[in-house]
Amino acid sequence: MAKLAEEMNPEGSRYKLLLSCPSGLSPSQVSVDFSKSHDRIPHPDPDLEDSISKVWEQRTQSNSSLFNGQKFRYGSYCLDDDGGTNEVPHVCLRLGLTDYRTFVGTNLSSLWEKFLVPSEDDSVRCRHTSSPLGNGAVIETSDKKIVVLRRSNNVGEFPGHYVFPGGHPEPTAVGIDCHQLEHDVQTSELLNKKVTQEMFDSIICEVVEETGIPASSLSPPLFIGISRRELNVRPAMFFYLKCSHHSDDIPRLYSSAEDGFESTQLHTVSLDELKMMTSRMPGCHHGGFALYELMLQRLKNTKETSLIAT
């Protein structure tokens, strides 16, 4: 059963779990409502809005490798829970469109807190922020080790920190570069299905590119929830994947990873070792670990219930 949960931790490692799905959801249990209605709403303060372009200009002048690109914006979700019945839970993600420039100028700006609206409703609170939806993979090897990367010092966010492999689902991967003015129902449904599939396809691509683990060695990803870093209100969705390789094989595969430049080290660690590393994770990834723990706890409870029943 999917459920809500929340947890906090110090400094940049603090997080909030927006959604926990400890049973792990397959693509048939997840859908997307992609709509302009879930886009960012401009802030009413014109000076604050103007600061977005100024921040972007400053950042690009100091880092010529930065470039703008479209991203899916996380708006909110709706949950069809099983309500105590035997029906399979289902989650619908409400996504809009944003870009990296607006992300840098809102979420990553020193003025980021000014873009927030005082509200208990998360979608209202973050209505003026870019909030691109990131993704992360909790990969379990055949000997029950977890794959963790250490970010390089050249990345834009949290250099030198430990993270799970991941990145972003990409609008361009499904042919989206802007909102179409008009869609009939059939076209909208088809687009939503493509975006949903991109949520699952993209995490496989990120894992392959960042770790060198071949897709054929990975199980179909299961969606386990959404975590948000409290610093900069940065959201990310997390998936659980099994890898058929032993942990001893992973460093060799990592040596030929396509995007190996984004990280400096790969570690395969036990659950206890991973727990010790979470204070050096960005909040959204620390939350990813919490989602994994909730999944493990559910598996444990299910096994105990089965033993009692037999």
Side-chain angles (χ1 to χ4, degrees):
M1 183 190 299
K3 63 181 180 179
L4 289 173
E6 181 175 321
E7 187 72 34
M8 298 291 192
N9 282 282
E11 306 303 330
S13 190
R14 294 175 60 206
Y15 65 87
K16 177 179 180 180
L17 298 188
L18 303 181
L19 172 66
S20 171
C21 307
S23 60
L25 304 186
S26 65
S28 64
Q29 296 170 272
V30 180
S31 62
V32 166
D33 174 26
F34 176 67
S35 169
K36 189 175 177 63
S37 63
H38 307 313
D39 283 4
R40 171 184 174 268
I41 298 173
H43 198 279
D45 182 343
D47 291 335
L48 196 57
E49 276 296 295
D50 288 343
S51 72
I52 296 174
S53 58
K54 292 176 181 176
V55 169
W56 176 249
E57 185 177 349
Q58 290 170 357
R59 287 289 296 272
T60 52
Q61 285 179 351
S62 60
N63 186 350
S64 60
S65 65
L66 287 180
F67 65 94
N68 196 16
Q70 299 292 330
K71 301 295 177 187
F72 288 111
R73 180 182 186 271
Y74 175 72
S76 62
Y77 72 90
C78 61
L79 179 65
D80 294 328
D81 217 332
D82 62 14
T85 71
N86 292 323
E87 293 181 14
V88 176
H90 182 273
V91 171
C92 178
L93 304 178
R94 294 165 175 156
L95 305 181
L97 202 59
T98 187
D99 57 34
Y100 191 70
R101 170 186 172 276
T102 311
F103 173 51
V104 169
T106 58
N107 294 82
L108 297 188
S109 168
S110 61
L111 303 174
W112 68 273
E113 289 176 294
K114 294 184 180 294
F115 285 95
L116 301 181
V117 176
S119 176
E120 293 298 317
D121 185 331
D122 195 73
S123 63
V124 173
R125 183 172 181 248
C126 300
R127 62 169 40 159
H128 302 308
T129 60
S130 172
S131 300
L133 182 62
N135 61 20
V138 182
I139 308 164
E140 199 175 86
T141 63
S142 63
D143 55 326
K144 303 297 183 182
K145 297 292 183 69
I146 306 301
V147 177
V148 180
L149 299 174
R150 186 159 195 173
R151 290 170 68 80
S152 75
N153 292 320
N154 299 320
V155 295
E157 295 180 81
F158 286 84
H161 282 62
Y162 295 114
V163 294
F164 297 110
H168 298 86
E170 299 292 350
T172 54
V174 289
I176 296 173
D177 55 12
C178 63
H179 286 290
Q180 299 299 316
L181 295 179
E182 294 183 7
H183 270 320
D184 57 46
V185 174
Q186 188 175 3
T187 303
S188 294
E189 288 180 353
L190 180 60
L191 184 60
N192 284 336
K193 287 180 180 178
K194 287 182 177 180
V195 175
T196 301
Q197 192 58 48
E198 169 61 11
M199 298 297 114
F200 288 82
D201 290 347
S202 61
I203 195 61
I204 294 288
C205 290
E206 295 288 357
V207 169
V208 171
E209 291 173 0
E210 293 192 356
T211 69
I213 298 172
S216 59
S217 302
L218 299 169
S219 67
L222 293 175
F223 173 57
I224 59 173
I226 300 175
S227 167
R228 191 192 65 200
R229 186 172 75 221
E230 287 293 85
L231 178 68
N232 313 124
V233 289
R234 172 76 148 105
M237 64 193 310
F238 283 86
F239 296 84
Y240 168 70
L241 300 90
K242 288 184 178 180
C243 171
S244 60
H245 284 280
H246 190 279
S247 61
D248 291 344
D249 299 333
I250 308 300
R252 173 180 57 81
L253 297 169
Y254 174 66
S255 66
S256 59
E258 183 180 331
D259 286 351
F261 63 89
E262 293 184 1
S263 59
T264 56
Q265 290 176 300
L266 178 144
H267 304 269
T268 51
V269 298
S270 67
L271 183 63
D272 287 339
E273 289 170 326
L274 180 58
K275 192 174 294 187
M276 296 294 292
M277 299 167 83
T278 55
S279 63
R280 285 287 293 163
M281 283 184 161
C284 43
H285 284 257
H286 192 167
F289 171 73
L291 292 169
Y292 176 56
E293 279 197 309
L294 290 170
M295 187 199 78
L296 293 178
Q297 185 60 51
R298 185 185 186 281
L299 287 172
K300 180 181 177 183
N301 294 343
T302 301
K303 288 179 181 178
E304 289 175 353
T305 303
S306 298
L307 289 173
I308 293 170
T310 55

